[in-house]
Amino acid sequence: MISSPIPLVSATTFGSVVSTVLDNNEGMTVEMAERIVREALAFVVTGARRPHLAMAPSRIVDEGWHALIVHTEVYSELCAREGVFVHHSPGFDPDNFDPNILDQTQDAIRAAGFEVDPELWRAPTDDSLVSVAANCQHAPRCKIRPMPKPEKPCNKPAVA
């Protein structure tokens, strides 16, 4: 079993992504930012390896995903190496939240061989552990799905 996704990126890259999380979240500890980035890496790699699964990050894990995405070359290479590109399609509606998707996502991450940090998988309105800048959950029609129903279109232009 892979215990930590850190070997998936260089130490320099990991540190840079952690720094991005810290820059976006004043007062966050380095330890918390590292936990968030580890979990985001496991989430992205699981999504890249298993694109058929309905998955969604918690808001806390999403903060790490955002930080990873802005490292575009690293992100693209990681997704390509591990499977498929994991698109990020944000939206936010905490009233339209299915808590089962977070359990389902954690199960998928474990099945991919990663340890899960369950403390980071909280409902979108739960900021009792840490408050993060990320204010999105993901559009239902997209590959990374926050909930099975109700279906709403992605925030993407229609293709004619």
Side-chain angles (χ1 to χ4, degrees):
M1 178 181 270
I2 301 167
S3 63
S4 171
I6 294 175
L8 297 169
V9 296
S10 72
T12 301
T13 296
F14 183 78
S16 183
V17 177
V18 167
S19 291
T20 300
V21 171
L22 291 169
D23 289 347
N24 291 329
N25 295 278
E26 185 177 332
M28 182 180 287
T29 67
V30 171
E31 176 193 18
M32 179 57 70
E34 288 175 347
R35 287 172 62 192
I36 289 169
V37 172
R38 280 188 198 97
E39 208 72 2
L41 282 164
F43 170 78
V44 169
V45 168
T46 301
R49 291 177 182 171
R50 296 182 167 102
H52 60 284
L53 296 178
M55 293 175 52
S58 66
R59 275 189 64 215
I60 296 170
V61 175
D62 196 49
E63 183 66 32
W65 190 13
H66 289 184
L68 185 58
I69 288 171
V70 299
H71 294 76
T72 58
E73 287 182 63
V74 169
Y75 185 76
S76 177
E77 290 169 6
L78 176 66
C79 289
R81 185 179 69 236
E82 296 298 329
V84 300
F85 192 88
V86 181
H87 290 277
H88 184 280
S89 302
F92 187 69
D93 182 358
D95 295 329
N96 191 17
F97 169 68
D98 177 1
N100 294 326
I101 195 67
L102 296 183
D103 293 334
Q104 183 176 322
T105 300
Q106 291 173 78
D107 290 344
I109 291 169
R110 284 185 195 96
F114 298 106
E115 292 179 19
V116 170
D117 187 343
E119 223 180 15
L120 301 182
W121 293 89
R122 296 171 181 245
T125 56
D126 183 347
D127 61 0
S128 61
L129 176 67
V130 63
S131 180
V132 294
N135 196 27
C136 69
Q137 77 193 47
H138 299 271
R141 261 192 7 193
C142 302
K143 293 290 184 194
I144 302 298
R145 299 169 52 110
M147 62 207 74
K149 294 182 181 182
E151 294 293 325
K152 290 183 181 178
C154 276
N155 295 334
K156 295 182 180 178
V159 177

